[in-house]
Amino acid sequence: MALTANNTGTKSIFAPVAAFSFSAAQLDDCRDFLASRTASTECVPVVDEAQLLMSADGRLAESGYRYNAIGFSSLAFSLAHGLNPLFHELSGENKRALTTTGGEADLAVAVSIYNMVLRVRFEALRERNLLVNHREQTVDGFLGLDHRLLDNSAFLDIVCNELQAKQPDAQFSRAEIIGRELRLYFINPASRRNDIYINPRHTFAAGWYFSNREDTGLAIRAATCLYTKFGVAISFADKSSRLNHTGADLAGRTQLLVSRTVEKEIDMNVIAAQIERLCTVSLNFSEDKATLDAAINSLLSYLTKFKISRDDARNVAKNAAMAGSDLEPRGALEAYTKEALRSRTAYDLFCSILRYAKNQYHVQRDGLQAAAMQLLLPDTKKQKRK
């Protein structure tokens, strides 16, 4: 098991949002970890403002527990729009990195404003629930009145049981845990191909992706995915691929969602045909700067349709020009030759989207991986049922 957490050498008032990863050989370790964390987790009803008041160091005065940044963000949003960014700015926290910014900060002012708003708006929070980890002494989430918790340990069991029943040859690839979110990746071993692209080192395989977030409402997702040398493209086709943490029999509805998903298989012959198609679509790059800029702007317009930010889209487009589908990096002089630039195709764009996605914040990564799949399979119906 690999572990990462925010650690910049500067103390944060929030508890760290840890990230864990489990390799293909660590499914049992993942299961044990989730079971242990579930045993130390409790949904605690909010009945008194004293439960939530902060002390001078940012801890909850009554219990001594700390919010993590995700739990605080959810609660602050329910109290008042703008409270979360204001608190982060005053206290010196960076909500994206979940760490301190290192700039000037006034924690006392931030805590004072939070406590004041809490007292005024407490009725908006009454009878909602805190997602509390007693072992770590943290508040990891703030749950709405209609929220129905499906813990990640139960979710893992549902996924494994459905795969065993309908795809018994499926192989666990890896799991990622980011805070209270669990992401599961499984491969269909019979789908592995190395004859799709001219370079056999470009390997492909079909599989399935599942995710669950214990600390938010729009939380459960199941989709087919494609493994490549550059990353995983995921097919988030429509609303039928996700569930809210609301309503009766959430576990049963999750089982149905997973069951429907594992009945689907990506047709690798279609993938081969689509890769061949992408390889015929020029990106119109050129050593002429004006022509190159126009081609990159065209890609920006395309990528931003998938709610990818312009900065991310620009980085992807530049990566497509510089690296594309290359497995080994080229020097700048070699990458920007006339021959190299004019050889770049939509397949280079596909590879660059996935390469760039791997190192991005998980919310951005979702959009990039979905965009890559949409580029490859614009017709999402090109999947067969088992």
Side-chain angles (χ1 to χ4, degrees):
M1 176 179 68
L3 164 66
T4 58
N6 53 301
N7 181 12
T8 64
T10 309
K11 187 176 181 180
S12 170
I13 68 169
F14 294 131
V17 177
F20 302 87
S21 61
F22 297 85
S23 69
Q26 295 178 308
L27 178 58
D28 288 340
D29 293 336
C30 180
R31 182 177 284 111
D32 292 344
F33 172 84
L34 292 173
S36 175
R37 191 162 71 171
T38 295
S40 66
T41 295
E42 181 184 6
C43 288
V44 177
V46 176
V47 295
D48 192 296
E49 66 183 40
Q51 293 173 269
L52 304 176
L53 289 171
M54 276 188 182
S55 58
D57 62 357
R59 292 179 179 272
L60 296 181
E62 184 177 79
S63 65
Y65 286 19
R66 287 196 294 165
Y67 291 112
N68 68 18
I70 295 173
F72 179 82
S73 175
S74 298
L75 185 141
F77 182 81
S78 298
L79 277 175
H81 293 289
L83 177 59
N84 188 49
L86 176 61
F87 186 92
H88 280 80
E89 182 174 343
L90 291 173
S91 64
E93 298 283 330
N94 179 325
K95 65 180 180 179
R96 169 55 60 84
L98 311 183
T99 60
T100 56
T101 63
E104 291 186 8
D106 195 329
L107 177 58
V109 174
V111 169
S112 177
I113 290 174
Y114 163 80
N115 285 339
M116 179 179 63
V117 174
L118 173 66
R119 291 187 174 99
V120 172
R121 302 293 298 274
F122 175 74
E123 290 304 316
L125 309 182
R126 188 182 294 277
E127 296 184 1
R128 300 193 183 191
N129 289 289
L130 302 176
L131 187 65
V132 176
N133 185 329
H134 290 297
R135 182 172 57 195
E136 301 297 331
Q137 297 188 339
T138 59
V139 177
D140 296 342
F142 178 70
L143 311 180
L145 292 172
D146 298 327
H147 188 93
R148 301 293 181 267
L149 181 66
L150 178 67
D151 68 71
N152 284 328
S153 181
F155 181 70
L156 175 61
D157 287 342
I158 290 172
V159 170
C160 289
N161 289 341
E162 288 303 306
L163 281 167
Q164 180 60 39
K166 297 188 174 181
Q167 298 284 357
D169 294 329
Q171 295 177 349
F172 176 66
S173 174
R174 73 177 188 275
E176 300 170 352
I177 299 173
I178 306 167
R180 286 287 179 161
E181 181 178 15
L182 170 66
R183 296 174 174 227
L184 300 169
Y185 299 83
F186 290 82
I187 287 180
N188 177 359
S191 70
R192 286 191 171 97
R193 297 276 296 270
N194 66 355
D195 61 344
I196 289 178
Y197 187 65
I198 188 171
N199 184 341
R201 292 169 62 196
H202 287 229
T203 55
F204 301 86
W208 302 271
Y209 165 86
F210 310 93
S211 67
N212 177 53
R213 283 193 65 173
E214 297 171 335
D215 59 351
T216 191
L218 186 59
I220 303 166
R221 296 200 290 185
T224 53
C225 64
L226 180 72
Y227 294 85
T228 78
K229 198 73 172 178
F230 302 92
V232 182
I234 300 178
S235 178
F236 296 126
D238 51 41
K239 293 181 179 179
S240 66
S241 66
R242 60 184 186 266
L243 284 176
N244 291 332
H245 268 219
T246 58
D249 192 20
L250 180 60
R253 288 185 292 121
T254 299
Q255 182 179 356
L256 289 175
L257 172 65
V258 173
S259 177
R260 289 196 303 266
T261 300
V262 300
E263 288 176 348
K264 300 176 183 178
E265 297 179 11
I266 293 177
D267 188 332
M268 296 304 291
N269 290 326
V270 171
I271 294 297
Q274 293 299 95
I275 294 292
E276 183 177 359
R277 174 186 64 85
L278 292 184
C279 289
T280 67
V281 180
S282 173
L283 294 181
N284 297 317
F285 290 157
S286 169
E287 71 281 7
D288 176 71
K289 185 178 185 304
T291 304
L292 179 60
D293 289 344
I296 288 178
N297 287 334
S298 177
L299 291 181
L300 295 187
S301 297
Y302 172 77
L303 292 171
T304 52
K305 292 179 182 178
F306 299 99
K307 299 182 180 180
I308 297 172
S309 72
R310 287 189 67 85
D311 285 344
D312 286 336
R314 187 174 298 278
N315 287 332
V316 168
K318 289 182 176 179
N319 188 274
M322 182 73 179
S325 59
D326 298 346
L327 294 177
E328 286 84 25
R330 307 187 196 191
L333 294 178
E334 184 182 1
Y336 286 104
T337 63
K338 176 173 65 176
E339 292 75 14
L341 288 170
R342 292 186 178 182
S343 70
R344 297 301 187 191
T345 68
Y347 179 63
D348 293 285
L349 177 63
F350 172 79
C351 297
S352 292
I353 294 173
L354 293 179
R355 179 191 289 113
Y356 183 76
K358 286 194 295 186
N359 296 318
Q360 302 310 304
Y361 189 66
H362 63 104
V363 176
Q364 293 170 283
R365 185 168 25 132
D366 289 344
L368 290 159
Q369 290 173 323
M373 184 65 91
Q374 186 66 20
L375 173 63
L376 180 63
L377 292 177
D379 182 358
T380 56
K381 294 180 180 180
K382 289 187 176 181
Q383 295 180 12
K384 61 183 180 180
R385 288 188 176 272
K386 187 178 179 183

